Amino acid sequence: MDFSKYTDEELMDIIEKAKAELARRREGKWIHFKTDGCFTPKFGPAYVAKLYLSGDEVEREFVPSNGKEWCKKSKSYKEDWDVEIFENDVLETRLTTGRKVDKREWYYVKEGELIPLMDLDEAKQFLKNLK
């Protein structure tokens, strides 16, 4: 981009717009997750985690929940989380109990909204592309 073609006023306008965009990207947005009904931990506990790359490996930072509410049989529970998300965060959740498969879901954050990813490999590729 050749800035010499712009007037001082146009350059100041570009700077202000760029500053506003950077501030918007740094702002967090709170989002609420909860288990679907009573969760039975057949494949592991319910969780929400932010994903990061450490070398070529995916690392999880588990988000603490707001607490568990045990269901009648004491083997299942309801749980919820409040998570602050930022632009390009990648999240992994296990909120639904599957009968035969582990029901995890992956998302990335774009403009404050959760965009679904297909699987952990796609989440890992997204994280690699951010570098």
Side-chain angles (χ1 to χ4, degrees), residues 8 10 15 22 25 27-28 38 44 70 77-78 88 97 99 101 103 110 114 118:
D8 290 349
E10 290 172 327
I15 290 169
L22 287 171
R25 289 182 184 185
E27 286 178 357
C38 290
W70 293 94
Y77 54 87
K78 296 177 183 178
N88 294 323
T97 302
R99 287 184 173 193
V101 294
K103 292 222 175 191
K110 181 177 181 183
L114 294 177
M118 295 297 294

Side-chain angles (χ1 to χ4, degrees), residues 20-127:
E21 177 63 19
L22 287 171
R24 184 190 65 78
R25 289 182 184 185
R26 279 188 238 124
E27 286 178 357
K29 177 181 176 182
W30 288 92
I31 190 160
H32 185 79
F33 290 98
K34 65 180 182 176
T35 55
D36 293 339
C38 290
F39 183 88
T40 305
K42 181 177 181 178
F43 294 101
Y47 68 87
V48 174
K50 289 188 177 185
L51 302 182
Y52 300 95
L53 276 184
S54 177
D56 267 353
E57 297 299 315
V58 173
E59 297 286 328
R60 290 171 179 82
E61 179 186 318
F62 292 96
V63 178
S65 76
N66 297 330
K68 291 181 182 177
E69 177 186 330
W70 293 94
C71 297
K72 290 181 181 180
K73 295 182 180 180
S74 297
K75 293 182 181 180
S76 58
Y77 54 87
K78 296 177 183 178
E79 196 166 12
D80 66 309
W81 297 259
D82 290 314
V83 181
E84 188 174 19
I85 57 173
F86 298 93
E87 193 73 11
N88 294 323
D89 274 355
V90 178
L91 303 172
E92 178 179 83
T93 64
R94 182 189 289 139
L95 303 173
T96 305
T97 302
R99 287 184 173 193
K100 296 185 179 185
V101 294
D102 186 4
K103 292 222 175 191
R104 292 181 290 167
E105 296 177 333
W106 296 268
Y107 304 95
Y108 72 94
V109 179
K110 181 177 181 183
E111 297 177 8
E113 299 296 322
L114 294 177
I115 309 298
L117 295 166
M118 295 297 294
D119 55 19
L120 184 58
D121 289 335
E122 188 176 10
K124 185 177 180 179
Q125 189 61 45
F126 182 84
L127 288 167

Side-chain angles (χ1 to χ4, degrees), residues 6-22:
Y6 294 97
T7 66
D8 290 349
E9 292 82 22
E10 290 172 327
L11 285 173
M12 291 304 290
D13 186 47
I14 291 170
I15 290 169
E16 291 305 313
K17 287 179 181 176
K19 284 181 180 178
E21 177 63 19
L22 287 171

